[in-house]
Amino acid sequence: MIPPGPIIASLSSTISISCLFRSEGRYVPPLVKLSRISATGGIVCLMISKGHSLAITSDYLGRVEVADQGAVQSVAMFPLWMSYETGRAKVHHESFTNGANVTFTLLGLRQSDAGRYVCEVKDALTRGQDFVDLKVDGVVYHYRPDSGRYKLSHFAAHAACVTSGGILASPEQLLVAFHDGMDRCDAGWLSDGSVRYPINQPRAGCEGNCKGVPGVRTYGLRQPFEKYDAYCYAEKLQGEVIYTTVPGQLTLAAAWRLCWAIGAHGLATPAALHLAWRAGLNHCEAGWLADGSVRYPICTPQEEGGSLAKGIYTLYRHANQTRFPDPGGHYGAYCHIHTLPFLVKMKKFDRITEFAGVRECVSEKSCGESGNERIRKWERMWKR
C-alpha cells in the first residue's frame, strides 16, 4: 500500500517508523531492513534486524530506539505495509493477530533525515517492500539587529526573533542545526536562557575550551540583562518568496512599494527567506528584507561568484559585520506572497527579473561580469 502523502515532522522532534509484516503457518523470524533514500538519490542503510539480532549504522547510534514485537502464528511476509498517520510527527505501530512489527524510532530529527524510508522484509521464500516519505519542517538561523553585535538582552532577543518572523530556538534545535552543518562564531540567546554557538570548523577565537573539536559551545545560563545575539527558529513558510528589482535598483522604501505594487504582502522577513532557501530558493543578487537588512540565498554553490557555499549571506555596512546597509542604498527586493493567485499577476509584471518559487532550486542565473565583481567585493563582508 503506497501512503497518500508524506509524513511531516518538525526539526528536533521524534518519529517512529514500523516495518509491519504478516505470515501464515509456522513463524520464522524474517530479515528486516530499513533504508533511507535522500533527495539526491543516495541510499543509507539504517538498520538490519533478524530475530533478536540487530545492527544499526554507526551514524545513527545514540539517536535510535528499536522495538521488536514478536509475531503470533505467522509465516510468509508478503505483502508488507507501513502504519502511519498523515500529518503527524509519529508513525504509530501496532500488533496484529497474524503479524508483527519492528519499530525504528529516530530521535532529534534533522533536515538531513528527510527522504524516502524503505522497509524490506524477506526470508528464504518471499520478499516484501514498502516505503513512506518524510518531510522535515523548520530552520534555525542566527540573528543580529541593526544596532550591532551583542546588543540583545534575553527579552530583546525574544522580541527580535518574533519581529524577524520566528521565535527563540531551543538548545535541542540548535544542536540539530549544528549536526546539519551550522557554523557560527557568534554567541546567541536560546529559549531556556542559555547562551551558545555552533562550531563545525574549529578555529582560533571560536574554539572555546575545546580546541580542535567541533560542537556547540555554551556559556551556560546567563543573567537576562546580559547582551548577545540570538538564535531563532521558524517552522513553516506560508506562500512564496520571490526576488524582483528595477533598473538602477531600489532603496528600502522603494522596495516596499514595489512589493506592494506587484500584489505581494510586503518584503520578506529573515525567517521567510531562510525557509525559502531551505526549500530551494537560490539567487545570486542581494535584496532588501522587512527588517532593513540586505541578504541573498545560495542553495547551489556558486563557482562564478568565488567560494560562496550554501547559506544565507548578509551585507553589512561595516567590515566588522555590524549595522545594516544605508536605507538609501540600491539593491533588489525579496517579496513575500501569501496567496498563490498573485503569481498570475507577477508573471505579467515586466520588471521582475527572476521568479523563484520555493519548491525547487531555480535554474542558476549567471551573475555576469559586474555581478562577479560585486560578489567578490561583498564576500569579504558577508557571513552566513
Side-chain angles (χ1 to χ4, degrees):
M1 181 179 69
I2 298 177
I7 294 171
I8 301 175
S10 301
L11 199 71
S12 81
S13 65
T14 297
I15 65 162
S16 296
I17 297 177
S18 296
C19 294
L20 310 178
F21 51 91
R22 270 186 188 169
S23 57
E24 297 176 359
R26 188 174 63 86
Y27 172 71
V28 177
L31 181 68
V32 181
K33 177 182 177 183
L34 182 66
S35 304
R36 179 177 62 84
I37 304 176
S38 67
T40 59
I43 301 177
V44 177
C45 176
L46 280 67
M47 173 202 73
I48 296 178
S49 172
K50 183 175 176 62
H52 296 294
S53 299
L54 175 69
I56 299 174
T57 303
S58 58
D59 290 345
Y60 289 85
L61 291 175
R63 293 187 60 211
V64 302
E65 296 175 354
V66 178
D68 185 354
Q69 299 183 4
V72 179
Q73 301 289 72
S74 290
V75 180
M77 290 73 55
F78 191 85
L80 168 73
W81 73 97
M82 290 186 180
S83 181
Y84 59 90
E85 292 184 12
T86 304
R88 294 285 298 277
K90 183 175 182 179
V91 183
H92 69 277
H93 50 86
E94 303 176 13
S95 297
F96 292 85
T97 302
N98 296 313
N101 72 58
V102 176
T103 300
F104 182 91
T105 299
L106 186 57
L107 312 173
L109 207 60
R110 307 170 185 175
Q111 284 287 348
S112 53
D113 291 326
R116 173 162 292 181
Y117 286 76
V118 181
C119 185
E120 300 174 77
V121 179
K122 64 180 179 179
D123 65 4
L125 300 176
T126 58
R127 179 172 183 168
Q129 175 176 299
D130 209 342
F131 70 88
V132 64
D133 291 320
L134 172 65
K135 181 176 181 291
V136 181
D137 284 340
V139 64
V140 174
Y141 59 98
H142 166 264
Y143 191 77
R144 176 178 300 157
D146 181 44
S147 55
R149 190 180 194 222
Y150 295 171
K151 299 293 185 180
L152 299 173
S153 65
H154 187 247
F155 177 80
H158 171 76
C161 285
V162 171
T163 301
S164 74
I167 59 174
L168 271 176
S170 68
E172 295 77 15
Q173 288 164 344
L174 185 66
L175 179 61
V176 166
F178 157 75
H179 285 298
D180 276 330
M182 190 175 192
D183 184 277
R184 294 288 318 196
C185 190
D186 300 287
W189 287 107
L190 296 176
S191 60
D192 67 341
S194 66
V195 173
R196 313 180 191 219
Y197 62 97
I199 292 296
N200 265 285
Q201 300 175 1
R203 52 201 182 273
C206 301
E207 296 176 304
N209 57 0
C210 299
K211 293 186 178 180
V213 180
V216 175
R217 307 299 195 257
T218 179
Y219 290 10
L221 297 176
R222 310 303 298 179
Q223 294 296 325
F225 54 79
E226 295 181 26
K227 303 293 181 67
Y228 301 97
D229 289 347
Y231 286 98
C232 308
Y233 172 78
E235 185 156 313
K236 194 179 294 290
L237 178 66
Q238 302 295 330
E240 308 273 348
V241 172
I242 63 110
Y243 173 85
T244 182
T245 191
V246 298
Q249 298 190 313
L250 306 154
T251 63
L252 177 58
W256 276 103
R257 289 195 296 268
L258 180 57
C259 287
W260 291 331
I262 64 174
H265 179 77
L267 286 170
T269 62
L273 186 66
H274 277 84
L275 288 166
W277 162 73
R278 177 63 72 183
L281 182 62
N282 184 78
H283 200 90
C284 62
E285 293 289 342
W288 291 107
L289 295 181
D291 64 340
S293 63
V294 176
R295 312 176 195 259
Y296 82 60
I298 296 294
C299 69
T300 302
Q302 299 267 336
E303 294 181 1
E304 295 183 16
S307 58
L308 297 182
K310 293 181 180 181
I312 299 290
Y313 288 82
T314 303
L315 180 60
Y316 292 103
R317 190 182 306 188
H318 304 304
N320 65 351
Q321 298 178 356
T322 58
R323 300 301 305 273
F324 296 158
D326 189 305
H330 293 82
Y331 305 96
Y334 285 97
C335 303
H336 190 179
I337 299 174
H338 284 201
T339 53
L340 297 182
F342 285 121
L343 300 183
V344 176
K345 181 176 181 181
M346 291 168 51
K347 289 179 181 178
K348 295 178 180 178
F349 192 76
D350 60 4
R351 289 191 174 183
I352 291 179
T353 58
E354 171 131 348
F355 172 80
V358 300
R359 294 184 181 84
E360 60 183 353
C361 273
V362 298
S363 298
E364 200 150 323
K365 174 179 177 289
S366 173
C367 297
E369 291 296 328
S370 60
N372 288 340
E373 293 170 2
R374 286 200 303 275
I375 289 179
R376 291 190 183 97
K377 176 182 177 181
W378 292 346
E379 188 180 5
R380 294 191 296 270
M381 303 171 63
W382 291 13
K383 185 177 181 181
R384 272 187 294 175

